[in-house]
């Protein structure tokens, strides 16, 4: 490995200086500073202490250059998932997951990396120790934690000392690692600002208590702050459901009871449910989305999982280029914002355009269930 001190700094300690003082090769010093298991624990500890005592600091620009040169053969990033099946065997379109993966692959390819999935919830998935050894044996230093499976199921505990690791979303909340996330608080803020501007006052927010933690309560938190400033007659609680999605009956009952003028939706399943309620009762409650969706006819600040995927790779590449590994002392969160988009329907149905409030319907909601793809 090339010398990584900064020549312009008088008295700077170089890797060659460390090697001379430790009476070993520059390559051994390099391996020790990367905490590589290729040398003994004692040697690593001795050289790392020497580096600390002498004030050695690597030059990140040279480290990046060395890393780039090493990628003459495409390097692999481990994509750790906790789906119950491999990604390619999952049923349904799963728009969010597919767009997130597409963004990751596109950015990785631009930077000279390839992505390989390592499922961790299959019957034959390796243990955390075994997976650590597999990644090390293959020279894989970058690990990306993909938001997958149940949010309460943890990722395996790898020996993070050997890897640069980034989590997409909040499924890896047990690990204080660098992560990327959708700025759902900002998305809700954009929705509320535009709806208020158009004269909407009774605004609902469709999110279940089950799903809320996946966004670290950012969306509901912003909505509740806004609600705290509204008159009591305009307050609409979130959908009272502890499952991932309410049944269509539960959702319909919530709409009928509170009769919102517009509803901020966090999943296409709610969009389908709201359309069914509108058809049944002859209403025109306006949907506004913050979810990723292929529906271009709906207003809102839709999430861009492809951009989240690209940002995840960018942060991980930065850590690899800087030769960082392990759980950081100060983890960072990189937020990916959405942009507002209007729709003709939203503008035409706004209260300022003469929209009337839905009247209380007659009859009892029919028994149905949501059909979801997620």
């Amino acid at each position: 490995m090339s010398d990584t001190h900064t020549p312009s700094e008088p008295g700077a300690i170089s890797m060659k200086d460390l090697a001379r003082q430790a009476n070993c090769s520059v390559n051994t010093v390099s391996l020790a500073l990367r905490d590589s298991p290729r040398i003994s624990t004692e040697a690593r500890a001795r050289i790392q202490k020497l580096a600390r005592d002498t004030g050695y600091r690597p030059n990140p620009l040279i480290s990046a250059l060395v890393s780039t040169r090493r990628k003459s053969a495409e390097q692999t990033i481990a994509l750790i998932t906790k789906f119950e099946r491999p990604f390619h065997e999952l049923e349904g379109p799963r728009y969010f997951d597919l767009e997130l993966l597409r963004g990751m692959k596109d950015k990785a390819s631009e930077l000279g990396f390839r992505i390989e999935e390592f499922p961790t919830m299959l019957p034959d998935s390796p243990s955390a120790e075994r997976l650590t050894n597999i990644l090390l044996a293959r020279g894989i230093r970058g690990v990306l934690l993909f938001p997958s499976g149940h949010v309460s199921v943890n990722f395996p505990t790898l020996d993070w000392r050997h890897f640069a690791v980034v989590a997409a979303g909040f499924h890896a909340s047990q690990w204080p690692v660098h992560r990327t996330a959708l700025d759902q608080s900002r998305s809700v803020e954009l929705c509320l600002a535009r709806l208020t501007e158009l004269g909407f006052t009774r605004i609902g927010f469709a999110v279940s208590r089950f799903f809320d933690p996946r966004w670290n309560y950012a969306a509901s938190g912003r909505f509740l702050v806004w609600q705290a400033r509204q008159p009591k007659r305009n307050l609409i609680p979130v959908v009272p459901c502890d499952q991932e999605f309410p049944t269509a009956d539960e959702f319909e009952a919530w709409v009928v009871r509170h009769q919102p003028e517009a509803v901020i939706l966090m999943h296409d399943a709610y969009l389908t449910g709201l359309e069914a309620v509108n058809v049944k009762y002859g209403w025109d409650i306006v949907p506004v989305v913050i979810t990723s969706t292929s529906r271009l006819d709906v207003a809102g600040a839709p999430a861009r999982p492809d951009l989240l995927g690209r940002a995840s790779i960018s942060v991980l590449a930065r850590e690899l280029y800087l030769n960082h590994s392990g759980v950081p002392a100060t983890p960072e969160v990189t937020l990916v914002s959405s942009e507002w988009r209007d729709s003709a329907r939203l503008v035409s149905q706004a209260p300022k355009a003469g929209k009337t409030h839905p009247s209380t319907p007659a009859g009892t909601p029919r028994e149905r269930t949501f059909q979801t793809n997620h």
Side-chain angles (χ1 to χ4, degrees), residues 11-26:
I13 301 298
S14 71
M15 195 173 289
K16 288 181 180 178
D17 295 331
L18 285 179
R20 184 167 54 252
Q21 293 185 40
N23 194 28
C24 64
S25 68
V26 172

Side-chain angles (χ1 to χ4, degrees), residues 10-216:
I13 301 298
S14 71
M15 195 173 289
K16 288 181 180 178
D17 295 331
L18 285 179
R20 184 167 54 252
Q21 293 185 40
N23 194 28
C24 64
S25 68
V26 172
N27 184 59
T28 299
V29 171
S30 175
L31 292 172
L33 296 180
R34 287 185 282 130
D35 208 27
S36 171
R38 292 171 57 185
I39 62 175
S40 68
T41 302
E42 293 76 12
R44 276 181 275 163
R46 180 172 62 86
I47 295 172
Q48 290 168 6
K49 182 178 184 304
L50 179 62
R52 290 193 300 270
D53 292 345
T54 57
Y56 169 78
R57 293 292 183 273
N59 184 329
L61 295 179
I62 296 179
S63 295
L65 177 60
V66 171
S67 296
T68 302
R69 285 174 176 172
R70 284 176 173 170
K71 288 201 290 286
S72 55
E74 199 174 37
Q75 291 192 352
T76 298
I77 289 174
L79 186 68
I80 307 297
T81 64
K82 49 189 179 72
F83 293 119
E84 294 181 354
R85 283 174 288 177
F87 197 103
H88 67 277
E89 294 181 5
L90 296 174
E91 296 178 356
R94 308 185 68 87
Y95 182 81
F96 180 92
D97 295 334
L98 292 175
E99 284 294 288
L100 177 60
L101 182 62
R102 180 176 68 82
M104 290 177 175
K105 286 185 174 180
D106 287 349
K107 188 62 178 180
S109 178
E110 292 172 12
L111 297 178
F113 295 97
R114 63 181 293 271
I115 290 178
E116 181 177 343
E117 182 189 9
F118 289 84
T120 60
M121 291 297 292
L122 308 183
D124 59 348
S125 292
S127 66
E129 182 179 1
R130 175 62 179 155
L131 182 55
T132 295
N133 292 333
I134 290 172
L135 299 182
L136 290 175
R138 292 185 50 183
I140 297 175
R141 295 187 53 244
V143 173
L144 196 55
L145 304 180
F146 193 91
S148 48
H150 198 293
V151 69
S152 65
V153 176
N154 292 333
F155 287 95
T157 306
L158 305 185
D159 189 343
W160 299 120
R161 295 175 302 162
H162 306 299
F163 308 108
V165 55
V166 171
F170 293 94
H171 276 242
S173 58
Q174 79 274 23
W175 296 112
V177 298
H178 296 314
R179 70 182 67 248
T180 58
L182 296 169
D183 192 353
Q184 296 293 10
S185 176
R186 174 62 176 164
S187 296
V188 171
E189 183 178 0
L190 290 172
C191 293
L192 292 171
R194 181 56 173 155
L195 290 171
T196 301
E197 178 187 12
L198 292 172
F200 291 91
T201 56
R202 290 187 54 76
I203 302 171
F205 181 45
V207 62
S208 67
R209 290 188 290 259
F210 176 96
F211 209 96
D212 211 10
R214 295 189 180 187
W215 290 347
N216 205 33

Side-chain angles (χ1 to χ4, degrees), residues 210-255:
F210 176 96
F211 209 96
D212 211 10
R214 295 189 180 187
W215 290 347
N216 205 33
Y217 307 97
S220 62
R222 183 64 186 86
F223 180 74
L224 293 175
V225 167
W226 174 82
Q227 272 201 337
R229 302 175 182 175
Q230 306 308 308
K232 187 175 181 179
R233 65 180 180 275
N234 291 338
L235 301 184
I236 299 176
V238 298
V239 182
C241 174
D242 291 319
Q243 304 302 315
E244 184 168 6
F245 296 102
T247 66
D249 266 359
E250 291 171 333
F251 181 71
E252 182 176 319
W254 176 79
V255 175

Side-chain angles (χ1 to χ4, degrees), residues 280-302:
K280 179 177 179 179
Y281 298 112
W283 291 352
D284 200 357
I285 300 172
V286 179
V288 178
V289 298
I290 58 173
T291 183
S292 57
T293 180
S294 57
R295 289 282 300 271
L296 302 179
D297 60 323
V298 182

